[in-house]
Amino acid sequence: MANNKPPPIMRWQEVAAFMRCGRSKAMLILHSIGAHYSGRTPYVTEGEFLRYLAEHDGNIVVKWSATTK
């Protein structure tokens, strides 16, 4: 993303590209923001994404689940 502005609707692919992370972290970000679903596709709006960033001082804290083996 050349202009550093997120698209109006962000799926995990857009979140991953904007935040420079992989699919797993992008999905955690979507769910921490509060994803909406269209069928099986989770998404957030640009406004929700920017509001979440503003409320958390530009940081997105995601909690990784503990792995058990």
Side-chain angles (χ1 to χ4, degrees):
M1 308 218 158
N3 62 1
N4 291 335
K5 185 177 185 312
I9 299 293
M10 300 180 74
R11 299 171 298 147
W12 75 262
Q13 294 92 336
E14 288 83 22
V15 171
F18 190 79
M19 298 301 291
R20 296 185 178 132
C21 63
R23 179 188 179 279
S24 295
K25 191 167 283 185
M27 289 295 288
L28 287 172
I29 291 169
L30 282 175
H31 289 113
S32 66
I33 293 172
H36 307 281
Y37 280 83
S38 177
R40 297 183 341 183
T41 306
Y43 68 91
V44 294
T45 64
E46 171 193 11
E48 292 168 333
F49 183 75
L50 294 175
R51 185 171 33 260
Y52 188 88
L53 283 177
E55 288 173 1
H56 294 89
D57 298 322
N59 296 317
I60 295 179
V61 178
V62 293
K63 182 171 177 130
W64 294 95
S65 59
T67 51
T68 57
K69 292 191 180 200

